[in-house]
Amino acid sequence: MQPTIKPAGDSALLVSFGEVIDEEVNAKIHAIADAVEKANFEWLVEVVPAYSTVYVFYDPLKVSFSEVREAIEPFLQVSPESFEGRLVEVPVVYGGRYGPDIGFVAEHNGLSVDDVIEIHSRPTYRVYFLGFLPGFAYLGGMDERIAAPRLEKPRLKVPAGSVGIAGRQTGIYPLESPGGWRLIGRTPLRLFNPEREPPTLLRPGDIVRFVPIDESEFREPYEAEWGEGDD
């Protein structure tokens, strides 16, 4: 699939592979974004990857759109395998007060709660992009056997660290906020800390593995063991 390139306002270039949610396309997106960032262009402001797009923000006082396009085009040939995200293990207490909707997800799909836990924690998930809230990771790769609709009426308050399902996607709430995803568990990991650099634990392109833990192992939010900003 060949991407399209077009302006996005007067200070950004958009690379798009269409409106698709596809793991291979997303891997390509992150490979392009990583290559552009590493090129360290003096006019580069920010690179923002999403499901199937990359926004390249630039300083229009230093460079024109046509010059940015010419500089970016060679990076469109990079291999999806050229970028490898970090593997981040996320401990999760499934069910109970931490995952009040896991019973619904199980019943909706004709499964047991244990089935839902096993299916959800078995694969690894790619962080497609961050959005909605600072550090909210939209994860790709969830088994459709545990897909479930959003709540008809969103909760006014979802605890930070809550792991949810919406349709065929799963994600983690980094902050306490309203939300309509079906909550199946919660992690004690702190996913967003404005005093950390970078402030988000998960980054686009990372690979996430959920690790079931007992409620007795849950403790108040803590930083990941590798510390601030480490790869």
Side-chain angles (χ1 to χ4, degrees), residues 14-15 25-34 37 46-57 83 127-131 138 203-206:
L14 171 64
V15 177
V25 168
N26 191 254
K28 176 81 169 183
I29 287 295
H30 289 298
I32 293 171
D34 182 62
E37 286 184 335
E46 187 178 12
V47 181
V48 181
Y51 283 119
S52 58
T53 60
V54 179
Y55 283 90
V56 179
F57 292 90
F83 172 75
V127 178
Y128 276 179
F129 76 103
L130 303 179
Y138 287 83
R203 308 170 199 172
D206 281 348

Side-chain angles (χ1 to χ4, degrees), residues 11-34:
S11 60
L13 174 148
L14 171 64
V15 177
S16 175
F17 284 85
E19 297 182 3
V20 296
I21 300 178
D22 179 86
E23 188 165 354
E24 184 175 348
V25 168
N26 191 254
K28 176 81 169 183
I29 287 295
H30 289 298
I32 293 171
D34 182 62

Side-chain angles (χ1 to χ4, degrees), residues 49-179:
Y51 283 119
S52 58
T53 60
V54 179
Y55 283 90
V56 179
F57 292 90
Y58 58 88
D59 185 344
L61 298 179
K62 295 181 178 180
V63 69
S64 67
F65 170 80
S66 60
E67 290 172 323
V68 174
R69 176 171 185 149
E70 183 179 354
I72 294 301
E73 284 182 333
F75 297 108
L76 304 184
Q77 307 306 316
V78 299
S79 167
E81 288 76 30
S82 66
F83 172 75
E84 184 175 351
R86 304 170 306 156
L87 175 63
V88 182
E89 292 194 338
V90 177
V92 178
V93 177
Y94 286 96
R97 62 193 177 100
Y98 297 105
D101 300 322
I102 198 167
F104 172 87
V105 174
E107 184 177 355
H108 179 75
N109 291 288
L111 302 168
S112 69
V113 167
D114 286 343
D115 289 335
V116 173
I117 296 172
E118 196 276 331
I119 292 171
H120 187 264
S121 62
R122 180 194 305 163
T124 57
Y125 300 83
R126 179 183 297 276
V127 178
Y128 276 179
F129 76 103
L130 303 179
F132 169 52
L133 291 169
F136 188 101
Y138 287 83
L139 306 178
M142 193 186 78
D143 193 313
E144 64 181 13
R145 290 180 295 166
I146 54 173
R150 296 170 183 258
L151 295 171
E152 293 183 5
K153 183 178 180 180
R155 292 181 171 89
L156 296 179
K157 188 180 293 186
V158 174
S162 293
V163 178
I165 289 175
R168 296 177 61 182
Q169 280 202 284
T170 188
I172 315 169
Y173 286 82
L175 301 168
E176 182 181 283
S177 71

